Amino acid sequence: MTRTRSRYAPDHGLTTRMVTTMFLIGLLYVVLVGVLLAVLRGAWPIILIFTGGLFIAQFWFSDRIAAFSMGAREVTPEEAPELHGTIDRICALADMPKPRVAIARTDVPNAFATGRGEKSALVCATTGLLRRLEPEELEGVLAHEMSHVAHRDVAVMTIASFLGVLAGIVTRVALWGGLSRNRSSDPVGIVIMLIPLISAVVYCLSFLLTRLLSRYRELSADRAAALLTGRPSALASALTKVSGQMARIPTEDLRKAEPYNAFYFVPAFSSKESLSRLLSSHPTLEQRLDQLARISAELARP
């Protein structure tokens, strides 16, 4: 039998924006591949096989790669009873299967979820997060991460980010193959010479749209977690505490965490001037707290 959907509240406004952004990213990819196929007619089987194989590999193994890269180690209920107990409560509230549970031994206070869907999902909390948060705050953070699992956000972001990276890879391959067969004075050769520029434009636009999509995703997860637990103030407290504590983490540890900011509950920045703040995968703390304050007011109404 097909399992019913989880009890996480849908957010149709944010979902519409996420779908629109995904459509624009996909449109960029289709246009790029169309140009390549038109210019390099004889190479189209190679292009399609290469892009298809790379996509399948990233889609199926990205969760394992991410978990390994961030040092996530699966733990049993006996090893981490509080963490397992909290996730059990969230699963009961949301009516969804329990994911694998892991802990990453780092003082950076954070959490993340990975996996293509509920069957392959893994939710991880760092030792720094477990040490700093109260039980209700931890529940809010983990409910946020479980929302990513319920809404298949990891799969969505994997597809979105893949298209941007692939745009650069495919155009480079096409450029190398095309330059070896065409002179720059030929009409086709001139077009091929423009491919690096097309690649750069597509990659930049895709990067910005993916970051926009990620910010929508985080706001949606905050909202879903707050409504599921009924305690938006606990999630707001956790956000404030984790963001404040992040400034006290050694710079070296933050630099190690920065490449995985798209996965984390709160992004890690090694400096206040970091370019990542301008192109962040997360909304600002003020935006997230404002949304939680509005939800709290809505829940308080009779």
Side-chain angles (χ1 to χ4, degrees), residues 22 25-26 29 32 55 158-168 202 206:
M22 276 292 292
I25 294 172
Y29 175 71
L32 176 65
F55 172 75
T158 297
I159 295 171
S161 61
F162 170 81
L163 296 181
V165 173
L166 189 59
V202 169
S206 179

Side-chain angles (χ1 to χ4, degrees), residues 69-140:
S69 301
M70 289 182 273
R73 184 182 70 85
E74 286 190 53
V75 292
T76 64
E78 291 73 26
E79 292 175 303
E82 180 182 356
L83 180 59
H84 271 272
T86 302
I87 290 180
D88 284 336
R89 289 195 300 274
I90 295 169
C91 289
L93 285 173
D95 188 25
M96 60 186 294
K98 185 178 180 179
R100 292 173 292 149
V101 180
I103 291 178
R105 298 198 175 279
T106 172
D107 197 43
V108 177
N110 236 314
F112 67 89
T114 185
R116 301 180 306 277
E118 293 179 353
K119 292 183 179 179
S120 62
L122 178 142
V123 175
C124 177
T126 67
T127 52
L129 185 80
L130 297 174
R131 183 166 58 83
R132 288 174 172 87
L133 296 189
E134 298 297 326
E136 62 274 13
E137 294 170 337
L138 179 63
E139 182 179 65

Side-chain angles (χ1 to χ4, degrees), residues 40 81 88 104 127 197 233:
L40 304 172
D88 284 336
T127 52
L197 176 60
S233 59

Side-chain angles (χ1 to χ4, degrees), residues 138-210:
L138 179 63
E139 182 179 65
V141 172
L142 295 177
H144 169 104
E145 297 303 329
M146 291 287 288
S147 170
H148 287 318
V149 173
H151 296 146
R152 301 183 184 275
D153 286 347
V154 175
V156 169
M157 290 306 298
T158 297
I159 295 171
S161 61
F162 170 81
L163 296 181
V165 173
L166 189 59
I169 295 175
V170 170
T171 48
R172 288 190 195 98
V173 171
L175 175 63
W176 294 334
L179 285 179
S180 65
R181 295 191 301 271
N182 297 279
R183 296 179 180 178
S184 60
S185 58
D186 296 335
V188 173
I190 294 174
V191 174
I192 292 177
M193 291 294 290
L194 293 176
I195 286 181
L197 176 60
I198 297 172
S199 174
V201 171
V202 169
Y203 178 80
C204 290
L205 290 175
S206 179
F207 179 85
L208 294 174
L209 287 170
T210 302

Side-chain angles (χ1 to χ4, degrees), residues 193-294:
M193 291 294 290
L194 293 176
I195 286 181
L197 176 60
I198 297 172
S199 174
V201 171
V202 169
Y203 178 80
C204 290
L205 290 175
S206 179
F207 179 85
L208 294 174
L209 287 170
T210 302
R211 285 294 186 266
L212 182 64
L213 176 63
S214 182
R215 292 194 289 272
Y216 289 156
R217 179 194 69 154
E218 292 300 323
L219 286 172
S220 182
D222 281 349
R223 180 180 183 276
L227 292 175
L228 181 73
T229 62
R231 288 197 294 264
S233 59
L235 181 56
S237 175
L239 274 167
T240 304
K241 185 179 291 186
V242 170
S243 298
Q245 290 289 323
M246 200 71 75
R248 303 180 185 180
I249 302 299
T251 300
E252 182 179 354
D253 293 340
L254 292 179
R255 284 175 179 165
K256 292 178 181 177
E258 272 187 318
Y260 310 109
N261 275 343
F263 289 93
Y264 281 138
F265 171 63
V266 170
F269 296 108
S270 57
S271 69
K272 292 183 178 179
E273 291 77 25
S274 175
L275 181 62
S276 298
R277 287 189 181 275
L278 299 177
L279 303 173
S280 178
S281 57
H282 289 62
T284 64
L285 177 62
E286 290 74 18
Q287 287 176 307
R288 299 176 77 173
L289 293 179
D290 285 347
Q291 177 180 245
L292 291 171
R294 291 195 298 272

